[in-house]
Amino acid sequence: MNLVTLYQEHLGDWVVYLLPALALSIEIAIFSILVAGLVGLPIAVMKMSRSRPLRYAANAYIEVLRGSPALVQLYFIYFGLTAFGITLDALPAAVITFGLNGAAYMAEIYRGGLRAVDAGQSHAAYALGMTPVQTLRYVLLPQSWRVVLPPAGSLAVAIFKDSSLATTIAVPELMNQATLLVGIWYTPFAVFLLVAVMYAAVALPATIYIRRRDRSRSWAETA
Amino acid sequence: MGQLLDPVPRVRVEDLTKSFGPHTVVRNVNLAVAQGERIAIIGPSGAGKSTLLRCINWLERPDSGHVYLDGELIGESLRDGRYVAIGERGLAPARARIGMVFQHFNLFPHLDVLGNVALGPRLVLRLDKQAAQERAQAQLERVGLTSKLHAYPEKLSGGQRQRVAIARALAMEPTVMLFDEATSSLDPELVGEVLAVIRKLAQDGMTMLLVTHEMQFAQDVADRVVFMDEGLILEEGPPSTIFRSPSNPRTRAFLRAVLDRERTSEIS
Amino acid sequence: MDFFGPLFANLPVFLPVLLRGAGATLVLTALSGVVSVAGGLGLAVVRTSRLPFVSQIATGYIEVIRAIPVLASLFVIYFGLEEFGINLPSLVAAVTGLGMIGSAYMAENLRGGFAAIPKGQREAAASVGLSPTQVMSHVLLPQAIRVAIPPSINYAISLLKDTAIASTVAAPELLFAAKGLVSQFILPLQVYFLTGLIYLAMSLPLAMLGRYLERRLAAGVLQ
C-alpha cells in the first residue's frame, strides 16, 4: 500500500466530501463558543456574588461540567433527555452540549479577566452612583477583554477538536464524513491520517496566532 | 445673615465605627458638615481618615453608626425600628449626590476624557448623549482641560488626570465633594494645578471634605480642620487655632513632625 | 417525572457493571499516565539537545499531536493500522494513543518547569564539576518537576475524562460499559446520569489534590 499513490488517486474525491464537513466542524465550534460566552458570564457573576446559595450553585455547575467527560454530557443531552420528552436533533444537541460545557470554562476565564481589572475602577464607578450591572457592563467588562480573549480563543480551538465527538451521534462533521469514506474505500489509515492533518491544519495556526496576540498591551495600569 | 433655625447639615456622621478584622480603624466618630463648609481632615497615616470618607458614601460599609445626607439616612433603611443595610443597587441614588475624588484617580482607561466625564450623567442621571456631553464639556472647561476632550487617560499627566477626575465627579452636580488625598500621588510640580481647581471650587461655595497632607492648602481653604488619630477625632476647630495653637499634645506632635518635613524638603 | 423510580430500581444491576467499568477506567488512566510521563520526560530531554534539528522535530511533534483531536488519533491507531496488518487490541490502542498525546502535554509541562529554573543553576552545577547528565538528573530535573506538578495533575484529570473517548474504539472502560447497559435497558437518562456521577467521583479528588498542591508548592517557590 503506497500512501502517496493512494492520495494521488483519491485526494480529489475525498476532499470534496471532507471540506464541507470541516466547515461544519468549525461552525459547531463558533456557535458553541458563543453559547459558552453567553452562559458563562452570568455564572461568573454568580460565583463572585455575595449570596452564598448563588456562589454554591455556580461552583456546582462549574465542578460538574468540568469534572465529567464531554462525551458523557453529549450522550446525556442527546439520548438521556428524551425521557423528559426533549428530543433534540444531533447538531443542536452538540452545540448545546459543547456550549454548556464551555460555559463552565468561560466562567473561570471571565473571573480571571474581571479580577485583572484594577480595584479602583469599580470604586470610581460606584462612587458615581452606577449600579453593579452598569459597572460590569460599561467599566469592568470592556477592560477585561484583553485578558479574556486569549484563553477564550484557546477554548474555541479546544471545542473545535471536541467537535469530533459529535460523530458518535451522527452529526455530519469531519470525523463522521471520514468514517463514511472509510466505509466506501476501505483505506482507514490514509483517510484518518488525512483528517488528523486537516484538524491540525486549522487548530495549529489558530493556536499560534492566539499565542502571538497574547502579548497584551495593558493600558489598564495607566489610569 | 441671621438664621432662626440651624439648617440641616449637608452631611452628618453619627457614632461611626469601622473595623477591618481585628483593627478598629474608625471609632465612634461624630461629624456634621454644614452647607458650604470646607473641612480638612488631617492626621497620621492609618488614622482612619480615608476610611471615614469612604464610609460617607458607603464604599465601605460601617460596622455601626449612621450617615445622613441632607437629613436623609443613607446606606440603610429603618424597618420596624431596626436599621437594615441596603444592597449596592439601592446605594446608587445617594452616591450620585456625593462626589468623590480618589488618590489614584481611577479614570476609566478605555474611554477618552469626554467619555469618562459623560458616563455618569448618561447612565446614572439618564441624560441623553448630547446633554451628557455638553455637561461634561462644561465641567472640563471649569477644570481647564477643554483641549484634551478626546485624549485617553494614558496620554495625560497626573495633574491632568486628577483634574479630569474632579470634572467627572462634578458632572454629577453633587451636593458635597469628598477628596481622598487627591494630591498625594502627584509629582510635586503637578500638585499646584489640582489645588488651584479645588480652591476655585471652594470659592464657588461647594461643600467639601478633604483628607489631605497639604497643610498650607488646608490652612488657606478650610473653614474647619479636623485632626484624627487612631480612629478618633482628637481635635477640631478653625485653621488658625489648630495650626497655631493646638490644644491636644498629639496634634502638636503631628504638626511638628509634618512641618519639620516640609522645612527640610524646602531646604533640599 | 419517572427519573428516580427506574434509577433506584435498577441500581443493583447498574452499579456493579459501572463500577467495574470505572475500575477499568482507572487502569487505563494509570497506564496512559505512565506512558505520558515517560514519554514526556523523554521528549523534554530530547528538546534540550544541541544537535541540529533534533529539538525542532521534537517540538514539531508536540505541537502537531496536541492540535489533533483525541478521537482522530485513536482512530488512526485502532482502525488505521489494520491496513498494515497491525490489529491492536483496543486497550493497547487506547494506551498508545492517549500515551502519545499525553507525552506531548507532559513535555510542555516540563518545559514550563525548566523555564522556571533560575538561569544560574546549570552553570553553578557545571562549575562544581557535575557532568551534563548529572546536572540534568540531579539539579535541573528535580526543580523542573516540582513546578510541573500542578499542571500535570490538571492533565491527569483531562486524561481521566479522555478515556471516555476510548469507548469509541471499544476499550474496556466506564463509558463503554455504560453504553452496553443503555442498549440493554433503554434507560439512557439514568445510566448516563450515574456514569457522569461516577466520573465526577473519580475526578473531584484529583481536582482537590491539584488545588492543594498548587497552594503548597506556590509557597515554596525557588528564590
Side-chain angles (χ1 to χ4, degrees):
Chain A
M1 185 223 69
N2 192 330
L3 203 59
V4 177
T5 46
L6 258 180
Y7 282 139
Q8 278 175 329
E9 271 184 60
H10 299 288
L11 204 54
D13 308 319
W14 291 348
V15 158
V16 166
Y17 282 108
L18 294 177
L19 278 183
L22 175 62
L24 183 60
S25 295
I26 296 178
E27 263 181 65
I28 293 176
I30 292 177
F31 284 118
S32 301
I33 195 74
L34 286 176
V35 171
L38 246 80
V39 175
L41 185 56
I43 296 181
V45 171
M46 277 168 65
K47 184 156 182 188
M48 302 188 297
S49 152
R50 253 185 313 186
S51 140
R52 227 198 284 170
L54 283 182
R55 274 206 316 266
Y56 280 13
N59 278 324
Y61 181 91
I62 294 172
E63 294 288 342
V64 168
L65 279 142
R66 298 213 306 186
S68 54
L71 194 51
V72 175
Q73 293 164 15
L74 185 64
Y75 288 166
F76 183 83
I77 289 181
Y78 185 64
F79 297 115
L81 289 187
T82 55
F84 295 134
I86 305 173
T87 335
L88 294 163
D89 284 343
L91 183 54
V95 171
I96 290 174
T97 306
F98 297 133
L100 290 179
N101 183 287
Y105 293 93
M106 278 309 291
E108 291 293 343
I109 294 173
Y110 278 128
R111 230 173 42 110
L114 288 171
R115 277 212 303 229
V117 178
D118 182 70
Q121 291 294 299
S122 48
H123 296 160
Y126 289 152
L128 286 173
M130 288 169 66
T131 65
V133 175
Q134 289 176 323
T135 305
L136 190 66
R137 183 161 164 214
Y138 292 98
V139 175
L140 297 179
L141 275 181
Q143 293 185 59
S144 60
W145 285 143
R146 293 267 162 152
V147 180
V148 165
L149 279 180
S154 299
L155 182 62
V157 174
I159 296 180
F160 167 68
K161 292 190 289 172
D162 279 351
S163 67
S164 58
L165 299 177
T167 181
T168 58
I169 59 172
V171 173
E173 43 70 57
L174 187 54
M175 206 64 221
N176 190 272
Q177 287 301 95
T179 1
L180 289 178
L181 286 181
V182 171
I184 301 174
W185 269 286
Y186 303 106
T187 52
F189 188 75
V191 171
F192 287 135
L193 184 67
L194 174 62
V195 161
V197 168
M198 287 172 79
Y199 275 110
V202 172
L204 198 49
T207 303
I208 294 179
Y209 174 75
I210 292 170
R211 230 182 271 162
R212 293 256 170 87
R213 289 271 284 176
D214 202 358
R215 336 271 172 179
S216 42
R217 293 177 301 123
S218 66
W219 37 222
E221 286 141 37
T222 56
Chain B
M1 287 170 297
Q3 278 151 332
L4 290 171
L5 301 154
D6 282 329
V8 174
R10 274 272 187 241
V11 174
R12 186 159 69 87
V13 170
E14 187 181 84
D15 283 334
L16 200 73
T17 303
K18 173 72 185 174
S19 307
F20 292 109
H23 303 293
T24 309
V25 171
V26 177
R27 298 170 201 271
N28 281 102
V29 167
N30 285 280
L31 187 66
V33 186
Q35 179 180 335
E37 206 181 354
R38 283 92 46 149
I39 303 204
I41 306 178
I42 64 175
S45 311
K49 316 186 294 293
S50 286
T51 310
L52 174 63
L53 225 62
R54 293 160 68 91
C55 283
I56 292 178
N57 68 350
W58 276 68
L59 275 185
E60 302 287 355
R61 297 177 160 257
D63 294 328
S64 66
H66 310 291
V67 180
Y68 299 88
L69 185 66
D70 288 324
E72 263 177 65
L73 181 65
I74 60 169
E76 305 166 285
S77 56
L78 198 49
R79 279 193 228 153
D80 307 320
R82 282 180 65 234
Y83 290 95
V84 178
I86 302 180
E88 286 294 323
R89 274 205 85 201
L91 287 165
R95 287 186 178 144
R97 289 148 59 197
I98 304 174
M100 184 164 226
V101 176
F102 299 86
Q103 180 179 352
H104 297 292
F105 332 131
N106 292 339
L107 290 183
F108 305 133
H110 58 296
L111 300 174
D112 63 14
V113 164
L114 189 64
N116 261 273
V117 181
L119 190 67
R122 203 161 56 87
L123 291 183
V124 182
L125 303 177
R126 312 287 173 117
L127 297 182
D128 65 70
K129 194 165 164 204
Q130 176 81 356
Q133 285 191 341
E134 280 168 14
R135 186 186 278 219
Q137 246 176 295
Q139 295 307 326
L140 285 164
E141 247 184 79
R142 209 169 158 189
V143 303
L145 282 172
T146 336
S147 58
K148 296 282 181 188
L149 286 183
H150 298 291
Y152 278 83
E154 62 175 351
K155 295 278 163 56
L156 302 178
S157 75
Q160 291 169 328
R161 289 181 200 170
Q162 194 61 301
R163 285 190 280 151
V164 173
I166 295 175
R168 181 176 64 175
L170 289 175
M172 300 296 290
E173 295 190 348
T175 58
V176 58
M177 285 283 280
L178 307 175
F179 291 91
D180 188 0
E181 301 211 29
T183 55
S184 300
S185 291
L186 295 175
D187 292 334
E189 64 271 16
L190 300 173
V191 168
E193 68 191 66
V194 174
L195 291 183
V197 168
I198 302 178
R199 191 189 303 263
K200 189 157 177 309
L201 272 181
Q203 281 166 357
D204 291 342
M206 170 68 77
T207 313
M208 53 175 71
L209 282 98
L210 300 107
V211 171
T212 185
H213 292 301
E214 298 285 336
M215 299 302 155
Q216 188 58 51
F217 185 72
Q219 240 189 313
D220 294 339
V221 163
D223 299 309
R224 191 172 15 140
V225 174
V226 168
F227 174 73
M228 269 185 85
D229 193 2
E230 293 189 4
L232 294 163
I233 294 183
L234 293 182
E235 200 173 343
E236 56 180 303
S240 48
T241 316
I242 298 288
F243 284 112
R244 269 190 245 131
S245 43
S247 42
N248 190 300
R250 284 226 281 245
T251 320
R252 280 203 286 263
F254 170 73
L255 288 174
R256 208 176 308 135
V258 169
L259 294 169
D260 267 344
R261 229 183 297 138
E262 282 187 0
R263 227 172 285 132
T264 30
S265 67
E266 267 163 54
I267 295 171
S268 48
Chain C
M1 255 191 297
D2 38 351
F3 167 65
F4 287 108
L7 177 65
F8 289 123
N10 287 294
L11 220 49
V13 177
F14 290 168
L15 269 186
V17 175
L18 291 178
L19 288 179
R20 241 175 297 143
T25 291
L26 289 174
V27 170
L28 179 54
T29 308
L31 289 174
S32 309
V34 167
V35 175
S36 300
V37 170
L41 272 170
L43 273 173
V45 172
V46 166
R47 255 182 165 181
T48 63
S49 155
R50 317 272 179 105
L51 297 171
F53 297 129
V54 170
S55 168
Q56 283 86 329
I57 294 178
T59 306
Y61 166 85
I62 291 171
E63 295 285 358
V64 171
I65 269 267
R66 294 195 317 156
I68 300 175
V70 176
L71 188 58
S73 296
L74 287 182
F75 274 27
V76 168
I77 294 174
Y78 186 68
F79 297 115
L81 293 184
E82 274 177 24
E83 264 191 76
F84 302 113
I86 306 175
N87 280 307
L88 294 172
S90 8
L91 181 59
V92 176
V95 172
T96 309
L98 292 172
M100 280 175 67
I101 297 173
S103 303
Y105 280 95
M106 286 303 295
E108 271 300 287
N109 290 339
L110 280 172
R111 187 170 73 102
F114 279 125
I117 302 176
K119 301 229 171 85
Q121 292 285 304
R122 186 193 284 250
E123 293 164 355
S127 60
V128 165
L130 295 177
S131 75
T133 330
Q134 291 174 320
V135 171
M136 172 60 71
S137 54
H138 287 92
V139 176
L140 297 179
L141 216 45
Q143 294 186 56
I145 289 176
R146 208 148 184 270
V147 176
I149 287 183
S152 302
I153 304 263
N154 277 333
Y155 183 69
I157 299 173
S158 301
L159 188 56
L160 178 70
K161 294 191 289 173
D162 283 346
T163 57
I165 303 178
S167 65
T168 57
V169 297
E173 51 76 52
L174 176 53
L175 185 56
F176 187 67
K179 276 162 55 168
L181 279 181
V182 169
S183 59
Q184 225 190 316
F185 289 86
I186 326 283
L187 286 172
L189 180 66
Q190 284 80 357
V191 171
Y192 290 133
F193 173 76
L194 266 181
T195 309
L197 229 58
I198 298 177
Y199 273 112
L200 260 178
M202 293 191 287
S203 72
L204 278 181
L206 271 176
M208 294 196 292
L209 175 67
R211 280 192 285 248
Y212 168 75
L213 282 177
E214 222 168 306
R215 263 177 294 141
R216 280 284 310 278
L217 288 174
V221 142
L222 335 130
Q223 329 82 313

